[in-house]
Amino acid sequence: MKVSMMHGAGGEVMGELLGVLTRLTNNNAGGIGLESLDDGAVIPIGGQNIVFTTDSHIVRPIFFPGGDIGRISICGTVNDLAMMGGCPVALSCGMVIEEGFEIADLERIVASMDDALGEAGASLVTGDTKVMERGSLDGIMINTSGIGIARTIVRDNGLVPGDRIIVSGTLGDHGIAILAHREGFDLGEQIHSDVAPVWGLVKEALDAGIIHAMKDPTRGGFASSINEMARKSGVSVRVREEALPMKKSVRSAAGMLGIDPLEVANEGKVVMGVPEQDAERILSAIRKHKYGHDATIVGIVTEGSGVIMETAIGGERFIEPPVGDPVPRVC
């Protein structure tokens, strides 16, 4: 068996690779490490909950409608911290750059990172740079790690029957934007990536009520995230197809390309499970944030297993966990 592109696509096949990468016998983290396979680790230090995470980014193309590899490298790590309830504080950055890479493009990437840091309220505090021979890398790879402080720890396995499922905005934007731009498709209306730091939105939600579980629908999209949340929580989720927020352009492009938009990555959205009594209050708070105008309650948590969609024509079907993201190299 050899590693394939599917092993990095965020679906069921990636789980096989994680089974190898997490096979550690000297990992004495005391319950704060890899065993939960969450968006990060929570480390209690001095009475505070420190959240730690890391992410690597190999986007192709490195510049795309709505963002670039610099913005996504900051937002990806900030959002992983936010999914654990962590307010982002400090990030590191490791760059591996191919010989011959344009300095003007590097300056553009760094400026984009700076803008995202300012929006997230975090600082870049340390880093490392390596240069590789021409042809040995596809332009540039960026790794960012981050730490944050969590007043309230949120994980992805806390769904309970009766919870409402909230999606913070339209689904499929990032992956479809990358694919359309990469392949040069003329869709009449340009689709833009949703890449954005979501901590501000998450903070508004946490201030408004209780969040039982939370995850950002990146690789594998909403289908992967909601299935993972349901499986880890030992519950079933029922989703209403008509409630799922999606741009018409994204839905049309996905249909033309034969792609399920629910399996396509987002980079500025949140899926959360909240108690029924807090749902409307949290939804109202999210909708006041600039990245939450299209937030919607899309479903309910029930006893059982699996994710079931109630279709627009009155039927039902399972939303299966995807094998992998149908659009590779998007984050």
Side-chain angles (χ1 to χ4, degrees):
M1 180 178 176
K2 298 181 184 295
V3 174
S4 71
M5 288 296 293
M6 291 297 291
H7 282 110
E12 294 291 284
V13 175
M14 187 173 181
E16 299 174 3
L17 190 62
L18 291 177
V20 176
L21 298 177
T22 59
R23 197 179 299 157
L24 305 173
T25 58
N26 295 297
N27 195 40
N28 301 312
I32 60 174
L34 291 173
E35 66 284 338
S36 64
L37 292 180
D38 218 327
D39 287 304
V42 179
I43 308 169
I45 298 177
Q48 290 187 316
N49 295 309
I50 306 300
V51 184
F52 176 66
T53 192
T54 189
D55 208 352
S56 296
H57 309 273
I58 49 169
V59 184
R60 182 170 64 87
I62 59 174
F63 300 104
F64 49 84
D68 56 46
I69 193 172
R71 181 170 176 81
I72 205 171
S73 68
I74 298 299
C75 295
T77 292
V78 165
N79 293 349
D80 279 350
L81 294 173
M83 294 306 99
M84 306 287 291
C87 172
V89 176
L91 277 69
S92 70
C93 174
M95 287 190 180
V96 183
I97 307 170
E98 183 183 16
E99 177 187 20
F101 195 80
E102 293 287 346
I103 294 295
D105 286 344
L106 190 59
E107 291 174 338
R108 182 178 170 187
I109 289 167
V110 171
S112 183
M113 295 173 72
D114 191 33
D115 287 343
L117 285 165
E119 191 174 352
S123 298
L124 187 62
V125 297
T126 189
D128 181 58
T129 305
K130 297 291 189 296
V131 176
M132 295 187 68
E133 298 88 347
R134 188 188 303 268
S136 60
L137 186 68
D138 192 5
I140 186 171
M141 186 277 287
I142 302 177
N143 171 273
T144 47
S145 297
I147 59 172
I149 299 175
R151 182 188 66 192
T152 303
I153 300 171
V154 183
R155 297 190 180 275
D156 60 7
N157 63 352
L159 295 177
V160 298
D163 279 355
R164 271 37 180 184
I165 300 297
I166 295 176
V167 172
S168 68
T170 54
L171 298 172
D173 297 349
H174 177 69
I176 295 298
I178 289 278
L179 181 60
H181 184 63
R182 181 189 296 169
E183 303 300 332
F185 292 135
D186 182 5
L187 301 173
E189 175 187 353
Q190 189 176 53
I191 301 171
H192 289 81
S193 167
D194 61 346
V195 57
V198 299
W199 165 246
L201 180 149
V202 169
K203 183 179 183 301
E204 293 295 329
L206 287 168
D207 288 343
I210 295 171
I211 301 176
H212 282 159
M214 185 161 49
K215 199 166 189 67
D216 55 339
T218 54
R219 287 176 296 180
F222 175 78
S224 179
S225 295
I226 196 64
N227 271 283
E228 187 171 354
M229 293 169 75
R231 177 179 55 79
K232 286 185 175 182
S233 303
V235 297
S236 178
V237 175
R238 298 187 70 87
V239 173
R240 292 179 295 113
E241 182 178 27
E242 292 180 311
L244 290 168
M246 197 175 300
K247 292 186 174 79
K248 289 182 179 180
S249 56
V250 168
R251 193 184 301 274
S252 298
M256 182 183 70
L257 298 168
I259 293 173
D260 184 348
L262 297 184
E263 298 182 0
V264 174
N266 308 264
E267 288 295 336
K269 300 299 181 347
V270 184
V271 180
M272 59 179 70
V274 306
E276 178 184 7
Q277 62 269 23
D278 289 352
E280 290 296 337
R281 187 165 59 251
I282 290 174
L283 183 65
S284 177
I286 291 174
R287 284 179 171 172
K288 292 176 184 177
H289 192 274
K290 64 180 179 179
Y291 293 134
H293 295 320
D294 297 314
T296 308
I297 297 174
V298 301
I300 185 172
V301 179
T302 64
E303 294 182 353
S305 62
V307 179
I308 300 168
M309 177 187 286
E310 299 173 357
T311 67
I313 61 173
E316 293 183 350
R317 72 171 179 87
F318 282 103
I319 298 178
E320 299 285 356
V323 175
D325 194 311
V327 188
R329 297 285 303 274
V330 296
C331 61

